[in-house]
Amino acid sequence: AVSGGRWTVASGSYSLQCALKLTKFASLGSMLVTVGTYSMFYGWPFATGMVGLILVHESGHALMMHRLGIPFKPMVFVPFLGAAVAMKERPRDAYDEALVAFGGPVLGSIGAAGVFAAGVANDSNLLIALGDFGFMINLFNLLPVGMMDGGRICGAVSPYAGVVGLGIGGTMVFNGMVSNPIFYLILLAGGWDTFQKFYNPAQHIPPNYYAISGAQRAGITGGYFALVAALFTAMSVSSAMKKSPEQLRRERQLGVYHRPDEY
């Protein structure tokens, strides 16, 4: 979908059509339920934006699966768990699995950057906050734990990546950085997955699954750390620019005008 080394409007439009088609609009119901659930806590403008950014992230996985010829199931949204596009078949090798895992945070980060840029251009705190959310959720997904995107990417680099990821996740829990019970389940599942890779690799991993080239391994490693660094930088900028509800209330009390969608 590249012409002369550049993305064209037609190729971008085609990619978007593929993304929408591949997500199977049969999953629209679960998406609407998720928007409704989030709306009770964050209001419908922010909730709609949140689900939209998750949709972009998962579409990245779907597009990469389509490109690699990996069949997959329709996208399913679950409130407070996010969304998922399950593969019907295992990828050919760890390199293809890493590419599928990269698809989500790469496209998701591009989507978040677009929303953030629109927020800066229009002085919209809503869009800036949504961009910040997008950067955060994509960065979180890059934690090298279990079946999270980061775990599937780093697992192609080294089986010890899972051990490192568990250490990072455990440290986050110990220091109170994450207190979501769902994350505890992710850590437990990641611990079991890592244990199986070492204790029973013959049954857990197909033969030669991790026999990828040095160039592929180097590309995965470089791409992973580059994306993490980019998201850290983007999130530091967006977090500094977004205004908290308390700041918006104070500005309203002082007579500073805000559009209705900023509250």
Side-chain angles (χ1 to χ4, degrees), residues 22 28 90 105 138 174 198 239 263:
L22 296 172
L28 181 61
R90 184 186 285 271
N138 283 285
F174 181 78
F198 285 100
S239 296
Y263 297 98

Side-chain angles (χ1 to χ4, degrees), residues 51-190:
V51 175
L53 287 168
I54 295 172
L55 172 64
V56 172
H57 176 104
E58 293 301 327
S59 294
H61 292 309
L63 283 168
M64 186 56 69
M65 291 178 204
H66 177 68
R67 180 181 178 183
L68 297 173
I70 302 171
F72 54 91
K73 299 178 181 179
M75 186 183 301
V76 176
F77 288 80
V78 181
F80 305 111
L81 289 177
V85 180
M87 292 181 282
K88 294 182 179 179
E89 297 177 4
R90 184 186 285 271
R92 178 183 57 185
D93 54 26
Y95 181 69
D96 280 4
E97 182 176 2
L99 291 180
V100 171
F102 262 121
V106 167
L107 190 61
S109 298
I110 293 172
V115 171
F116 176 73
V120 173
N122 294 280
D123 192 25
S124 169
N125 187 64
L126 172 65
L127 294 179
I128 291 174
L130 280 171
D132 183 68
F133 165 80
F135 295 139
M136 180 274 295
I137 201 68
N138 283 285
L139 182 61
F140 179 78
N141 267 279
L142 286 171
L143 280 173
V145 177
M147 294 307 294
M148 294 181 69
D149 293 337
R152 292 159 62 195
I153 293 170
C154 294
V157 177
S158 170
Y160 294 99
V163 178
V164 175
L166 290 172
I168 295 173
T171 300
M172 293 173 66
V173 172
F174 181 78
N175 291 330
M177 298 173 64
V178 180
S179 57
N180 192 323
I182 297 173
F183 187 64
Y184 303 156
L185 297 177
I186 292 174
L187 283 179
L188 288 174

